[in-house]
Amino acid sequence: MLENKVAYITGGTKGIGFGIAKVLLENGVSVAFSGRKRDDVEKAEQDLRQYSQDVLGIVSDVRNLESENEAVRYIKEKFGRLDFVIANAGLGIFKPVDQLSAEEWNDMIETNLTGVFYTLKATVEELKKTEGYYITVSSLAGANFFENGTGYNASKFGVVGFTQAAMIDLRKYNIKSTVIMPGSVATHFNGNIPSEKDAWKIQPEDMGNLVLDILKMNPRVLPSKIEFRATKPGN
């Protein structure tokens, strides 16, 4: 069902994006992924080749539309098509609102929200051709506000609203759109180093398996918003 399909994953060098890439590659999908740092992209590409040779690492910054347009050109040159887009790149800076700088605010909004728009803007014409799928990774922070979360909450609330509105715009082209809202995930996010203490959390491969399930659903159904959390939160 997924053979000969091509996916593009932003923020794919580690964590959630890497986990999604791994699962898709294991299930016959060709995967292009992006990250900001060349060293991280090259290492992730090498690591992912153990699952499939049909992988392409791209240095791209979702905060820059031309950078995302260039990423799509690379994907077309390598694979000739684009079927699935997973807008996953994200950034979290957690401070009281009176201590959050304008630069920190802008960096979160530009990465987490504007980047989601730029990724769709760069890929939408290709998705029209394949009647593809556009998936965004928001967070439970897109529905639940918390202390020190003003910038992060604002960006993730925005991703939920953006994706659901985009769903209505895009379905007339037979493009499906889903926003995933995970809770705690065992990743390097916010300086965490995954270890046994994170065993209770959602694992990156769990996110990959969720995306796989979404892509395998009958075309007549659309899970437009999915909340995804650990069964038993840790301490």
Side-chain angles (χ1 to χ4, degrees):
M1 178 180 180
L2 298 181
E3 291 181 1
N4 302 317
K5 301 293 187 181
V6 178
Y8 173 43
I9 304 166
T10 66
T13 60
K14 56 188 175 182
I16 290 173
F18 188 93
I20 295 171
K22 172 183 179 292
V23 171
L24 293 185
L25 287 167
E26 290 176 325
N27 284 272
V29 179
S30 299
V31 171
F33 70 92
S34 65
R36 293 185 192 179
K37 298 178 180 179
R38 184 170 300 279
D39 288 348
D40 290 344
V41 169
E42 291 176 352
K43 182 181 185 307
E45 182 176 33
Q46 182 178 1
D47 292 343
L48 287 168
R49 288 195 180 280
Q50 65 185 295
Y51 307 109
S52 172
Q53 293 298 306
D54 293 325
V55 60
L56 173 65
I58 302 169
V59 178
S60 183
D61 186 344
V62 298
R63 299 171 299 179
N64 183 293
L65 178 57
E66 182 50 40
S67 185
E68 284 295 271
N69 285 333
E70 187 71 10
V72 173
R73 287 193 283 271
Y74 288 138
I75 294 167
K76 290 176 64 179
E77 288 175 6
K78 173 72 173 179
F79 298 117
R81 59 184 291 141
L82 180 58
D83 301 273
F84 313 133
V85 175
I86 298 94
N88 165 72
L91 171 69
I93 301 169
F94 304 100
K95 294 181 178 180
V97 65
D98 58 311
Q99 298 177 28
L100 188 70
S101 71
E103 182 180 5
E104 290 167 334
W105 167 274
N106 288 333
D107 204 14
M108 276 189 287
I109 296 298
E110 289 171 8
T111 301
N112 298 354
L113 182 54
T114 304
V116 166
F117 168 63
Y118 284 168
T119 297
L120 177 58
K121 191 72 174 173
T123 60
V124 67
E125 295 305 319
E126 297 305 313
L127 293 178
K128 288 178 182 179
K129 296 174 186 176
T130 57
E131 297 186 349
Y133 212 129
Y134 181 69
I135 296 172
T136 62
V137 178
S138 180
S139 168
L140 289 180
N144 306 296
F145 53 85
F146 54 85
E147 187 176 14
N148 299 333
T150 50
Y152 192 71
N153 282 140
S155 67
K156 292 302 186 178
F157 270 72
V159 171
V160 174
F162 171 82
T163 309
Q164 294 197 292
M167 174 198 68
I168 297 171
D169 291 341
L170 297 176
R171 61 185 175 182
K172 60 176 170 285
Y173 303 109
N174 293 320
I175 300 173
K176 297 170 74 175
S177 301
T178 298
V179 56
I180 302 174
M181 303 167 65
S184 297
V185 184
T187 71
H188 292 82
F189 190 76
N190 197 32
N192 181 60
I193 299 176
S195 66
E196 286 300 317
K197 74 181 186 304
D198 299 304
W200 64 271
K201 296 179 180 178
I202 299 166
Q203 301 299 308
E205 59 266 30
D206 297 329
M207 288 291 293
N209 286 319
L210 175 60
V211 169
L212 183 67
D213 288 342
I214 291 169
L215 297 178
K216 285 184 173 181
M217 285 187 179
N218 192 294
R220 68 173 171 263
V221 298
L222 174 60
S224 56
K225 181 172 71 171
I226 299 173
E227 293 191 2
F228 195 52
R229 51 174 51 83
T231 303
K232 292 185 177 181
N235 295 323

